Amino acid sequence: YKKNIAYHSSGGNHYNNKKIQPIDYITENNLPYCEGNVVKYVTRHKEKNGAEDIKKAIHYLRFILANDYGEKL
């Protein structure tokens, strides 16, 4: 079952305390790449990279604004 793969990923335990794993939410909702990265970085920022993860999420949000809506932040 593919959901079990996420629970055995390497690179840390920053998702272990989450009731819903980001990869499960992303795949079950068919989120595109950029939206999925926003979910991932916002979900983990307190347990992993702090402000750096928020900056990464903002980067992807800016891309979505420009690419999908022709707007800049």
Side-chain angles (χ1 to χ4, degrees):
Y1 185 59
K2 72 178 184 177
K3 288 184 181 183
N4 289 334
I5 293 170
Y7 307 127
H8 300 290
S9 64
S10 61
N13 59 359
H14 42 275
Y15 298 124
N16 287 353
N17 67 339
K18 306 299 181 213
K19 290 182 181 183
I20 300 171
Q21 296 292 302
I23 195 166
D24 293 338
Y25 179 83
I26 292 163
T27 57
E28 291 296 319
N29 290 286
N30 297 312
L31 293 184
Y33 180 78
C34 290
E35 285 89 337
N37 277 332
V38 170
V39 169
K40 173 180 75 172
Y41 290 125
V42 169
T43 300
R44 77 181 197 185
H45 75 95
K46 290 183 181 179
E47 288 85 20
K48 191 166 184 191
N49 295 323
E52 186 63 31
D53 278 344
I54 295 298
K55 291 174 187 175
K56 289 177 183 180
I58 290 169
H59 167 77
Y60 283 105
L61 288 167
R62 285 184 173 146
F63 181 84
I64 294 165
L65 272 174
N67 191 56
D68 294 356
Y69 302 100
E71 296 182 18
K72 292 187 178 184
L73 181 65

